[in-house]
Amino acid sequence: MKYYIGVDGGGSNLRVALVDETMHLLREVVRGKANPNTLGIQQASDRIQQALREITEGFHEPIRAVGIGISGAPKAIAEKWLRDTVKAVLPFAEVVPSSDEEIALVGANGERRGVLVLSGTGSIAHGANDAGESLTIGGWGYLMGDKGSGYWLGMQALEAYIRHEDGTDTRPTSLVERVRQQCGFKDRFDIIPWLYQPAPDSSKVARLAPLVLEEAQAGDAHARHIVEEGAAELALLAQTIVRRLHITQPRYAFAGSLLTHPTPLAEALCRRLRLPAPPQPRYTPLIGAALLARLTVDPV
Amino acid sequence: MKYYIGVDGGGSNLRVALVDETMHLLREVVRGKANPNTLGIQQASDRIQQALREITEGFHEPIRAVGIGISGAPKAIAEKWLRDTVKAVLPFAEVVPSSDEEIALVGANGERRGVLVLSGTGSIAHGANDAGESLTIGGWGYLMGDKGSGYWLGMQALEAYIRHEDGTDTRPTSLVERVRQQCGFKDRFDIIPWLYQPAPDSSKVARLAPLVLEEAQAGDAHARHIVEEGAAELALLAQTIVRRLHITQPRYAFAGSLLTHPTPLAEALCRRLRLPAPPQPRYTPLIGAALLARLTVDPV
C-alpha cells in the first residue's frame, strides 16, 4: 500500500489529509489560514510544515507524494517555494506543487481533466484537456470585477441602491430596501464610509451576495437580471477554456460557496452550460490534492 | 463698490480670489490642497485661514461676503465648519458655504441655475432650478464606478486588456497593446501588483483615460464603445437632474479635465444632450464662489 498527503490551503483554512492509494482518509489536520500574501512567506511555510509534522507523527509508513495547492500562491510562481517547504519536513516524498483551482478540479472530477468554475468571494475558472494542457482564466481580483463572484453580486446590489438613491434608475425593486436594512444606511452619505473606511473590504461586499440570490429566488426582476448577468460571465469563462483547450466533451465541475449550494446562480449557470443539475464533486479539493499527487507520480 | 472673496478648494489647489462687484479680479492666492479628508480638519482650516489673511493683507475696504467650496467637504456636512473657519479671520463678512459642484455651476453659467456635469478622475452632476432647489447626484467614488469618469475609462481599458489576455473577448482592438505598453505589462500576472500594490490608486487608473480617448479618436471600435457608454452614463446623470428638478430649459455646464477640453467624451456627451458644442464657462469655479457670495447676500 502506498500513502499520499494532500494539502489544501485555499479558502479559510489550511487542511492536510493523509490517504492511502484508494483515497481512503486516514488522518486529517485543520489549521488557520496559510495564505502567504497575508501571513508572509515565512509564517505560511512554518504553518504548513507544522501541519505536515503533526499529520505524520507516529505514522511509520513512507509517504510517497504530497500534492499541495495554496491560495494566493499561483503554481508558476510558488513551485519552488512549495517544494522547499514540503521537502524540509518530508525529504523523501515527491512534491507536486499545484493551485487552488487544480486541486478542486482533480477532486471534483476524480481526474486531471475537465473545466472547473469557481465562484466564492472572487471567481476563477480552470481547465485541463486530454493532452495534459491546462489553463486558468479570470481571478483578477475585486477591482477588475471577478464577474459572477460574491463581491460582484454585492457590488451590483450596492449599485442598484445608489441608482435608486440618485434616481437614475426608477424601476421598482425590493433589493434596494434589503441593502438599506442590511447595511444600516440612514441617508445617502452612509454608503461612503461603509464602503471606503477603513479600507475597501471585498468579503464585506460579498456578504451582500445572499441578498441578491434570495431576492432573485423571490422573483425580484432586478436581482434576477444580476444573477443572469453573473451566470453569463461565469459561463463565458468556462466556454473560453473549452474553446482554447479544444475540449470536445467538457466535464464541468463547480466550486466556491455560491455554486456548491443550490443557488439561483448555480442553476442559471447550469442552464447556460446545458447541464441538467449542478455537477456533484467526487472528492473535496483536499483529497483532490492527494489524488493529484498519486496521478502525477504513479500514473496507472 | 462692494468686495467679495471666492475660495475654491477643489482639485489640486486651494485658490482664493478677491473681486469687486463686477467680478473683476483684484487679487489671487494659490496654495496646496485643502482637502480635509487627507489633511485633517484642523490643518485644512489653518491653510484656508492663512490664505484669507494673505489676500486681505493691506486691503482696507470691508469684505462683504465670502463664498467657499472645498472638495471632500459636502455642503450639508461642512456648513458650520466653513462658517467658523472664515469668521475667525473675517468676522464681519457674510459666509456662503458651498461645494465644488455648486461654485463650478455658478461660475460656468454666471447664475445659480442650470445643470453641471463634471468628469475628472471621478464624476458627479449638480443642478439648480428657478425655484432655488438644487440636487447633486453621482460622485459615489471609484469603487461604485463614477461612470464616465477618468477612473472608469481607465478601468474599461484594463478590462479590455484582461478580457483579451483571458481570451473571453477576441475582438481586435488597438487599445490592449497601448495599455500593455503604458503599464509595462510583460506577462499576465503583472497587472495584479500594478493595480493592488501598495493600494488601489484611482488617479493611477484614471491616467489611462487619455489612451481610451486617443484610441476612440483614431477609430478603434472598442475604445469608441467605451466612450459612448461613458457619455451615456454622464448624460443619464444630467437628465436625471433635469427630471427631478423639473427644469424645462436646462442650461448645461461641463467641468473636469475630461469635458473641458475637446475630447471624444465631451463630443459624445454633447450629442446626447443635443448641444451644438461643449458649453464654454463664463467664469472659473473660483470666481463662481465669489459670484455665489454676491448673488446670495446682494441679490439684484
Side-chain angles (χ1 to χ4, degrees), chain A residues 260-281:
Chain A
T260 50
H261 301 95
T263 65
L265 185 68
E267 284 162 26
L269 180 57
C270 283
R271 274 199 306 279
R272 285 170 187 274
L273 297 179
R274 294 175 195 199
L275 297 171
Q280 293 305 304

Side-chain angles (χ1 to χ4, degrees), chain A:
Chain A
M1 190 63 106
K2 287 172 182 158
Y3 299 95
Y4 303 90
I5 284 178
V7 182
D8 172 11
S12 40
N13 280 303
L14 172 68
R15 291 171 185 274
V16 182
L18 172 62
V19 300
D20 66 21
E21 63 195 46
T22 69
M23 294 301 119
H24 178 70
L25 181 69
L26 304 176
R27 296 176 173 194
E28 183 172 351
V29 165
V30 182
R31 285 285 165 281
K33 288 187 187 180
N35 189 319
N37 294 327
T38 50
L39 280 182
I41 284 279
Q42 190 52 55
Q43 213 183 326
S45 284
D46 289 351
R47 200 165 282 185
I48 295 164
Q49 291 173 343
Q50 198 159 347
L52 287 172
R53 270 185 220 105
E54 202 167 323
I55 206 158
T56 51
E57 202 184 340
F59 186 78
H60 300 295
E61 302 293 329
I63 303 298
R64 177 88 175 106
V66 178
I68 178 166
I70 303 289
S71 120
K75 195 174 163 181
I77 290 171
E79 204 161 318
K80 184 180 181 315
W81 172 62
L82 291 174
R83 212 178 281 281
D84 293 347
T85 296
V86 174
K87 284 283 186 187
V89 178
L90 300 167
F92 304 113
E94 301 268 358
V95 183
V96 181
S98 182
S99 64
D100 278 44
E101 311 88 57
E102 190 177 39
I103 63 174
L105 174 65
V106 173
N109 283 359
E111 57 180 0
R112 197 178 187 164
R113 206 159 42 177
V115 179
L116 176 97
V117 185
L118 182 153
S119 173
T121 297
S123 66
I124 199 163
H126 174 77
N129 64 13
D130 295 351
E133 297 161 319
S134 69
L135 181 63
T136 300
I137 64 175
W140 298 98
Y142 78 100
L143 279 182
M144 289 309 311
D146 267 20
K147 304 231 167 96
S149 69
Y151 176 79
W152 182 87
L153 290 172
M155 284 305 275
Q156 298 305 111
L158 290 172
E159 189 170 323
Y161 169 81
I162 65 168
R163 287 188 167 248
H164 174 86
E165 284 291 298
D166 273 350
T168 48
D169 189 341
T170 54
R171 289 175 297 173
T173 170
S174 46
L175 187 59
V176 166
E177 208 41 51
R178 298 280 311 271
V179 169
R180 197 192 310 276
Q181 280 167 23
Q182 176 156 330
C183 299
F185 296 155
K186 299 253 183 311
D187 83 34
R188 184 181 192 277
F189 292 109
D190 289 346
I191 191 177
I192 308 282
W194 188 93
L195 192 57
Y196 297 94
Q197 284 164 14
D201 172 356
S202 60
S203 346
K204 180 170 158 179
V205 173
R207 285 196 289 277
L208 294 173
L211 288 192
V212 179
L213 300 175
E214 285 165 34
E215 288 297 311
Q217 198 97 61
D220 180 71
H222 201 123
R224 286 168 82 143
H225 179 80
I226 294 172
V227 166
E228 281 303 324
E229 201 181 331
E233 291 286 343
L234 295 175
L236 179 62
L237 288 180
Q239 286 155 349
T240 300
I241 284 186
V242 167
R243 174 173 55 74
R244 289 183 59 191
L245 290 181
H246 309 287
I247 296 176
T248 45
Q249 303 257 324
R251 183 172 170 193
Y252 292 107
F254 289 1
S257 56
L258 297 183
L259 295 180
T260 50
H261 301 95
T263 65
L265 185 68
E267 284 162 26
L269 180 57
C270 283
R271 274 199 306 279
R272 285 170 187 274
L273 297 179
R274 294 175 195 199
L275 297 171
Q280 293 305 304
R282 179 143 177 214
Y283 301 113
T284 61
L286 174 59
I287 301 301
L291 178 58
L292 176 66
R294 200 202 76 192
L295 294 172
T296 305
V297 303
D298 299 312
V300 193

Side-chain angles (χ1 to χ4, degrees), chain B residues 3-27:
Chain B
Y3 300 94
Y4 304 90
I5 285 178
V7 182
D8 172 12
S12 40
N13 280 304
L14 171 68
R15 291 171 184 275
V16 182
L18 173 62
V19 301
D20 65 22
E21 64 196 46
T22 70
M23 294 301 119
H24 178 70
L25 181 69
L26 303 177
R27 297 176 173 195

Side-chain angles (χ1 to χ4, degrees), chain B residues 133-189:
Chain B
E133 296 161 318
S134 68
L135 179 63
T136 299
I137 64 175
W140 298 97
Y142 77 102
L143 280 182
M144 289 309 311
D146 268 19
K147 302 228 168 98
S149 68
Y151 176 79
W152 182 87
L153 290 172
M155 284 305 275
Q156 299 305 113
L158 290 172
E159 188 169 324
Y161 169 80
I162 64 167
R163 287 187 168 249
H164 174 85
E165 284 291 298
D166 274 351
T168 49
D169 189 340
T170 54
R171 289 175 296 173
T173 170
S174 46
L175 187 58
V176 166
E177 210 36 54
R178 298 281 311 271
V179 170
R180 198 192 310 276
Q181 280 167 21
Q182 176 156 330
C183 299
F185 296 154
K186 299 253 181 312
D187 83 35
R188 185 181 192 278
F189 293 107

Side-chain angles (χ1 to χ4, degrees), chain B residues 256-279:
Chain B
S257 56
L258 298 183
L259 296 180
T260 49
H261 301 95
T263 66
L265 185 69
E267 283 161 27
L269 180 57
C270 284
R271 274 198 306 280
R272 284 170 188 273
L273 297 178
R274 294 176 195 198
L275 297 170

